[in-house]
Structure formats: C-alpha cells, structure tokens
C-alpha cells in the first residue's frame, strides 16, 4: 500500500531547549490507515502532529533532523504550503480554528483561499456537508455550535478540499462520551468508505481503539507500533489509558485482549464464571461499597431550582438536591445538561431565577460570592483562568490573603508540600507542566480549607497517569472529612473514584440520584441522559450478572473473578 | 449592571448576524452599504426637521423586519444611560461655561439622539442581515484587499469569545475570594491584574491556534481570492438603491430646514 506519511529518524529540539521533544522517530503510515498516536502528556504527540503539518520547523523554528514526507512531498524542504491541499487538521479546541460566522462559509473558506472556481466550491461544499450529515447546520452561526458540531464543521472543511489525510490533535478532549463515540464512528466511516488516512493523537482511547488499525505509543521515542490488541501491555506500562475491558483481560492474563465489549469478550468471561454464580452470589453482594459513609448534616440544599440565562435558555428546570457533610458526589450528564450551571449556584456565581439554594443554611440569593466561597471552593476546568502571579507560592498566597490570612507563607508552603509542589514554589505557574498546573489550581483552593470542594470537569484533556494522581488527591481530600462534588462526564474515571452518590442530569433536570452501583447499572436512565456507562458495567450487564455483583472498574471485576476461580 | 458592561453587551448583540431571514437578508450587501452611506448623508444636516424626516424614513424601512427593529431598540436602551449622562454634562457645561441658551443646548442634544438612532437602525440592518463574509465579498468587489478585511472580521468574531473567557476568568477569581469592588483605586487597579493577565495569556494561545489554522488553510497564499457566492444586483436591489438614494436627495432638497 502507498505511503501517506513517512518519518525517517526524526529528532526535534524546540528553540532554546537542550532536550529533544522527539528522538529518532521513524514511522510510515499507509494510505487509508487509521492510526492512533497514544502516549503521556509531554510525550511528543502534539509535536509529531506539528511536524506532519509542516508547522515545525517553518513556524516554530527549533532544530529538526531527519526526513518528513507527506503524500510524497518533503515537508521540511518545501514547507506547509506544499501540502495545504492534501492534509486537513482538526485542533483540540476547534473553536480556535473557525474563522467564519456561518457554517457554509467556513466549509468553503480554504477552497476560496486556494482560488477554486465558485461552481466547484459549491459542489464540493454540498458534497462535504452531505457526507458529514450536517445539512441542518448549514446556515447556522458557528459560535452557537457545540464542540462536537464544530468538529464536524472542521472535518467537512477538510473533506471539501478533498484532503486525503486527516490529522486530529486530541479531538475528544472536550466531548462528552456520546459525542466521542459519534466522532470515532465518523472517522472510521471516512477511513473505510472513502479511503482517507486518519491520524489521531489522543489520551482518551476507549472509543478509538476498536476502530484503529494501528497504535503508536510515543514518549519522545516510539515505544510501540503495531496492532491495538497487542499494544495494551505496552500502553499500561507507559501509563496510557486503555479500555477497561482490555485492562480486565490483561489483569486476568487472558488473550486475545478485546478492545471493547464484544461477543468474544462476553463468551470468555461467561465460561469463566459458569459455575461460580450459584455458589457465590451471597458473597458478591458484600462487594458493594457502602453509601452510608456520610453524616446526616445537610451542607447544601437546592430547592426547586430554576435558572434562565440572559439569552433566554432555561438551563435548570426545578432541580432539587441535598448534599450532606462528607458526601463524595459525582454529577454526570452530557454537555449542556446543566451540571456546571448547577454548581455555579453553590458559591453564588449564579443566583436562582426561581427556587433557592442554601449553603450551611445561608440563602445564596442574599450572600456574596466572597462570603459563600469560604464554604464552597470551586476548581474550574482550565487552570490558566486563574494564574496571574509571578510565582507558584504567590498564587497560593493570593487566595489565602483574599480570605484574610496574612503572613501565611508557612501555611502556603505546607499546602504546596502536600501537593508535591514545594520545590517549584519560586517558579512561574506558566512554566509548570499540565499536571503540575492542575495540582496548583486545586492546591490554591484547598489552601484556605473550605469544607466543600467542587471540581468542574477535572479530567478534561489530561492523561491517564494524571487522572490516577487526581484520584489519589481526591481520596485524601475525602479522608479529611471534606465534602467533594465532582462534575464530569468521564464515567470511567468516576468508576475508580470513591464516590458515595451519583447524580445524573439531563436537560436541566436531575433524572436520577443514588448509589453508584444502582445508578450506573440503570442503563435506561443513562442512555436517555446521553451518559455512557463504565465499560465493565456494560460487560456485567451483558453477562446478566448484575443480580450477583456490581463492579464498576476492571480491578473490582478481576478480583471477583479471581475469587470465583479460587473457590473452584 | 455597570454602564460599560451594559453598553458592551448591547453592542455585541447588535453587531451579531441573525440566522432568521427577512427582506434585508435577500438584498445585495453593496446596496445595504449604499443605504448606510445614504443614512449618513441624511443625518449630516443640522436641521431638526430634516433629521426627524430621516428618522421616520429609516425606522419605516426597518418595519419589514420586526426583529431588527427590536434589536435596534435594545441597542438604544443599552446606550441610553451613557447618552443621557453625556447630554446632561454637555448641556450643563455649555450653559454654565459658554453662556448658551438652555433650550438651544438641549435641542442640539436632541439632534445627537436622532443621529445616533438613525445610525443604530441602519447599522443593525446591515450587520443583522449580512454575514461578515458577504460584506468582505462586497468590499473585495469594490477593490478592497481581502486579507485586511479578514483581520477586522476575525477581530469581531473573537470579541464574544474573549468576553466569554473574561467572564469565566472573573468567576474563577471570584471563587478564590477576589473582590474587585472593594479597596481603594490603586488596590482595585492592582486586582485587575488577576483578570487581565489570564485573559492576555489565553488570548495569545487562541491567537496562536488561529494563526496556525489560517496558515494551514491557505489564507494569504495569493493576493486574490474567489468567493463561492455570486453577488448579482437584481431588480429588488435596484429598486431599493433608487429608493434610498432618491429619499436622501429629497430630504436634503425638500424637507423644511
């Protein structure tokens, strides 16, 4: 098969850097292949994408050694202009790459720049819009579209140009699970039906791997390059997220390793537990995590809460919720379900349109944000939204001083120590890695010790090892008796967290609330709320085992299966 | 809501293109530009009667699109506090320091209100019914270079995103206990850093992404550009162009001075 992309002995140093971002990378991606580039944050995925696009070295500078061919064109010599019509790109945040106000104009933009004739542009735009099935968006304003819709527009724009290679830089980072599943299936369709080469650099692999022909595990060097099923072990070693069902098979030492819940995976596990069910049903019931670990003291109460945004959109429609001291709550739901709107009421950033919210008995309508923030600390999704001081230490001191703590250097250092940031105290927050920035954002909120901590989409755009680090951090916070509320659509992450209650939101309403083992096993509710259940839940459901045991993670299920096997 | 915030929000909504189609959506953008020029010609007069005629004319023309009319009133409502304060200040200043007759000074301010009202309705007509790209297409046909025009369009497109980011940053900092409204002037200015620096950093990152996307999408490779839309002047365009031109002329010549 003809080569779409070839890299030979590529080594790259960013300007002023003494260590390489990529080291001796050689790979060849063939036409029509679906290749996934996986690896930890800082492992060089985005750098590789920039090299493929010709942005490195032509825009970024630095020192690039080796050879890069895209569609047979030497990009290093000829520059990105030479490949503009053969390669299309979708960035992590497609909002940043959209230029025009209307979808149709955006799809036509590149063709117009490259001087295509108007009649041909119209034909190509029609064709691309038809392929992506976005005719209903054609006249829509781009700034009113969701992340998923914007991604489709960006793909349509590349298709209109008849780009034979599509490159995606973390396309799933801001999508909810249903959006991620939809995008993965679109990419698969483009690859299979139109023979387009698809290259995706991504952390979230659960939805992608099943479609991929090939996985390249990258951590400055190529650690693995081959079929996804044989990559699982290497990916686990490199700290890369793998589908939980694959992890389960690895933990059980079974092969072949499945990439999603399919009939083979079900039959392998089914034969494993064939004799187990009847004898062990009683002991399995005790696997359930206790939900009654929190006190009966209400810390937050939302009563028939309604919220209407200034543009008239009703974001909350009669939400009632009680949060108790020591609760560890996960609020799940698709993008736009009202999760973030709800938690912004907890510290008074938003005031109820109807109904009321009380925090430790105080009505938020009559309390200032500063007053409520003493009780409720919210950690927002993007750490860059809060950094402005010269040093890490000063960032923490800023929060402390806002809450009346002066001369609190010792206290700030203690918090930094607890988060492993003490050695970085005098560094600029902008010099930190993504993981360190995330830790600093949480540390600067925890520093003033609010009794309730809210984290809004804490796992968006972070890699698996950082997720595990975040889990440990949350577990420590919960152990200290704090009330923790996590807003997330990452159900695989939540399946690993010590949550006591799951609240499912859809269309501005709370549609379910209860023990995670009850709620995550109610597939009807999850489906109607556009929430995907953890993969292990899907597997157990298909095995018809939920009456006997309700594991949420691969580890829990593997332990159960091992016990089961041990008993026989 | 502070006056600055109110004005920005109202102006933002006025400048936004409307998805719903009305009479003006079907007009050639060049004709709408001509309408804007004609409206400016109408309000260049110092006569209150001529200005009132221009006001009635332009608002009558907005009637086919009630949504545009509503948006115009929304804009004027946003501008009202600023305009009233300015008018009071100017009247007081001219009466006290320049010895002007209060009635004359007030009449001048009424003329200013009328001019603003006429400009508001014509600009709202233009921006609500014309996408930025249609405008670029029209201006490119008139000889303007598209790369310069796009710079303006991109700036306009990114204004709401930057405001959204600013709002998110403000919320993030308020959640850390920042109270901008407390303290002396110097302290408040210092606190503004907590908003301005993150906005600046995030805007730079956004600009980097956009610049890369433009480079990769062939922007500026050639000094010429094609447009998939065909701008053709039809009968409706010709009729509207004649109507606004003759009306402007008629107001200039025949309206009582």
């Amino acid at each position: 098969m003809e080569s779409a992309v070839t890299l030979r002995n590529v080594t790259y140093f960013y300007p002023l850097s003494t260590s390489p971002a990529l080291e001796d990378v050689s790979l060849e991606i063939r036409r029509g292949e679906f290749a996934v580039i996986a690896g930890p944050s800082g492992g060089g995925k985005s750098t590789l994408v920039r090299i493929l696009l010709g942005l490195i070295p032509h825009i970024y500078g630095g020192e690039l050694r080796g050879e890069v061919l895209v569609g047979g064109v030497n990009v290093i010599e000829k520059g990105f202009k030479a490949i503009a019509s053969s390669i299309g790109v979708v960035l992590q945040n497609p909002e940043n790459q959209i230029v025009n106000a209307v979808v149709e104009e955006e799809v036509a933009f590149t063709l117009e720049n490259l001087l295509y004739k108007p009649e041909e542009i119209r034909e190509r735009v029609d064709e691309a819009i038809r392929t992506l099935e976005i005719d209903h968006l054609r006249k829509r304003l781009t700034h009113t579209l969701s992340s998923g819709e914007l991604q489709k527009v960006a793909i349509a724009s590349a298709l209109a140009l008849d780009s034979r290679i599509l490159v995606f830089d973390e396309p799933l980072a801001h999508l909810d699970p249903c959006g991620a599943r939809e995008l993965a299936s679109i990419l698969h369709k483009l690859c299979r039906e139109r023979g387009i080469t698809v290259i995706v650099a991504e952390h979230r692999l659960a939805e992608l791997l099943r479609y991929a022909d090939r996985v390249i595990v990258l951590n400055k060097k190529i650690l693995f390059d081959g079929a996804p099923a044989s990559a699982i072990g290497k990916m686990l070693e490199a700290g890369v997220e793998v589908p939980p069902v694959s992890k389960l098979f690895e933990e059980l030492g079974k092969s072949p390793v499945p990439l999603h819940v399919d009939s083979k995976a079900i039959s392998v596990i089914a034969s494993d537990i064939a004799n187990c069910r009847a004898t062990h049903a009683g002991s399995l019931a005790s696997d359930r995590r206790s939900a009654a670990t929190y006190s009966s003291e209400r810390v937050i109460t939302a009563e028939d809460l309604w919220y209407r945004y200034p543009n008239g959109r009703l974001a909350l429609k009669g939400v009632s919720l009680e949060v108790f001291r020591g609760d560890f709550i996960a609020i799940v739901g698709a993008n736009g379900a009202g999760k973030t709107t709800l938690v912004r009421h907890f510290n008074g950033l938003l005031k109820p349109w109807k109904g009321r919210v009380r925090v430790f008995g105080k009505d938020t309508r009559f309390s200032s944000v500063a007053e409520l923030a003493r009780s409720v600390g919210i950690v927002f999704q993007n750490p860059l939204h809060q950094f402005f001081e010269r040093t890490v230490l000063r960032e923490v001191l800023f929060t402390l001083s806002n809450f009346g703590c002066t001369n609190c250097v010792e206290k700030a250092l203690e918090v930094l120590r607890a988060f492993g940031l003490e050695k970085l105290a005098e560094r600029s927050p902008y010099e930190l890695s993504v993981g360190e920035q995330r830790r600093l954002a949480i540390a600067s909120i925890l520093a003033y010790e609010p009794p309730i901590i809210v984290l809004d989409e804490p796992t968006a755009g972070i890699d698996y090892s950082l997720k595990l680090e975040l889990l440990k951090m949350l577990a420590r916070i919960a152990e200290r008796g704090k009330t923790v509320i996590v807003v997330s659509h990452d159900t695989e992450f939540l399946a690993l967290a010590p949550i006591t209650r799951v609240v499912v939101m859809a269309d501005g309403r709370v549609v379910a609330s209860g023990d995670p083992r009850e709620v995550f096993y109610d597939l009807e509710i999850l489906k109607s709320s556009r929430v995907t259940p953890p993969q292990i839940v899907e597997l157990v459901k298909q095995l018809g085992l939920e009456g006997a045991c309700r594991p949420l993670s691969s580890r829990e299920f593997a332990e159960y299966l091992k016990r089961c096997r041990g008993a026989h | 809501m502070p006056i600055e915030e109110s004005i920005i929000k109202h102006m933002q909504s006025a400048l936004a293109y409307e998805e719903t189609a009305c009479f003006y959506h079907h007009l050639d953008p060049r004709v709408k530009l001509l309408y804007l020029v004609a409206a400016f010609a109408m309000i260049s007069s110092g006569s209150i009667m001529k200005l009132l005629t221009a006001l009635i004319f332009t608002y009558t023309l907005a009637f086919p699109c009630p949504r545009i009319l509503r948006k115009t009133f929304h804009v004027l409502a946003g501008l009202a506090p600023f305009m009233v304060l300015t008018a009071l200040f100017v009247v007081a200043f001219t009466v006290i320091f320049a010895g002007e007759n209060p009635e004359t000074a007030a009449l001048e301010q009424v003329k200013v209100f009328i001019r603003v009202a006429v400009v508001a309705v014509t600009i709202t007509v233009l921006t609500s019914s014309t996408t930025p790209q249609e405008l670029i297409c029209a201006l490119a046909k008139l000889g303007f270079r598209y790369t310069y025009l796009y710079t303006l369009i991109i700036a306009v497109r990114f204004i709401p995103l930057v405001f959204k980011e600013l709002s998110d940053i403000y919320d993030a900092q308020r959640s850390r206990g920042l109270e901008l409204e407390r303290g002396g002037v110097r302290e408040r200015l210092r606190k503004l850093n907590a908003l301005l620096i993150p906005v600046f950093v995030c805007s730079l990152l956004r600009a980097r992404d956009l610049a890369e996307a433009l480079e990769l999408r062939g922007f500026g490779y050639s000094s010429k550009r094609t447009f998939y839309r065909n701008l053709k002047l039809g009968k409706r365009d010709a009729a509207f162009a004649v109507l606004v031109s003759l009306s402007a002329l008629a107001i200039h010549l025949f309206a009582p001075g």
Side-chain angles (χ1 to χ4, degrees), chain A residues 358-369:
Chain A
R358 280 181 295 177
V359 176
F360 288 107
K362 266 187 216 164
D363 192 324
T364 58
R365 290 172 299 178
F366 312 114
S367 311
S368 70
V369 175

Side-chain angles (χ1 to χ4, degrees), chain A residues 60 95-96 98-100 104-106 109-110 112-113 116 122 157 344 347 385-386 395 399 402, chain B residues 17 19 131 133 150 157 165 171 173 175-176 179 206 209 212 215 217-218 225-226 228-229:
Chain A
Y60 281 80
E95 196 178 52
N96 291 355
I98 301 283
V99 181
N100 293 279
E104 188 181 61
E105 294 173 353
E106 181 62 23
F109 182 72
T110 317
E112 292 175 330
N113 289 331
Y116 281 73
R122 281 194 289 273
S157 183
R344 282 179 176 229
N347 73 348
H385 282 175
Q386 67 179 63
E395 276 297 336
T399 316
N402 285 334
Chain B
Y17 172 74
E19 284 175 39
T131 69
Q133 210 222 25
Y150 256 104
R157 198 190 98 66
E165 197 131 56
D171 283 350
Q173 301 296 32
S175 300
R176 294 171 78 196
E179 290 181 279
R206 202 184 279 283
D209 280 357
E212 286 178 6
E215 290 283 8
R217 297 180 69 191
R225 190 176 201 275
T226 54
Y228 80 101
R229 281 181 214 276

Side-chain angles (χ1 to χ4, degrees), chain A residues 2-20:
Chain A
E2 211 181 326
S3 163
V5 166
T6 309
L7 275 81
R8 289 196 194 106
N9 309 108
V10 169
T11 298
Y12 176 67
F13 293 81
Y14 276 101
L16 308 175
S17 173
T18 50
S19 62

Side-chain angles (χ1 to χ4, degrees), chain B residues 192-209:
Chain B
L192 271 181
N193 280 342
L195 304 184
L196 297 179
I197 293 174
V199 165
F200 183 68
V201 170
C202 292
S203 299
L204 275 183
L205 294 174
R206 202 184 279 283
R208 184 199 64 185
D209 280 357

Side-chain angles (χ1 to χ4, degrees), chain A residues 41 92 170 173 202-204 241 381 434-435 438 457-468 470 490 493:
Chain A
S41 286
Q92 182 180 358
E170 296 197 27
E202 183 55 75
H203 293 302
R204 280 172 73 182
E241 188 166 10
Q381 194 177 333
V434 179
R438 187 76 59 156
E457 295 292 356
T459 62
I462 65 172
D463 67 9
Y464 187 59
S465 55
L466 192 54
K467 281 185 192 178
L468 295 180
L470 185 66
D490 189 346
F493 170 77

Side-chain angles (χ1 to χ4, degrees), chain A residues 128-165:
Chain A
I129 284 179
R130 241 192 331 268
T131 308
L132 267 293
E133 296 172 7
I134 53 169
D135 210 34
H136 60 292
L137 302 178
R138 193 182 189 113
K139 299 285 177 193
R140 287 275 305 276
L141 292 171
T142 48
H143 76 263
T144 63
L145 303 184
S146 67
S147 293
E149 289 170 336
L150 281 174
Q151 264 164 341
K152 286 185 196 167
V153 173
I155 298 170
S157 183
L159 284 187
L161 192 60
D162 201 18
S163 301
R164 304 308 298 164
I165 306 166

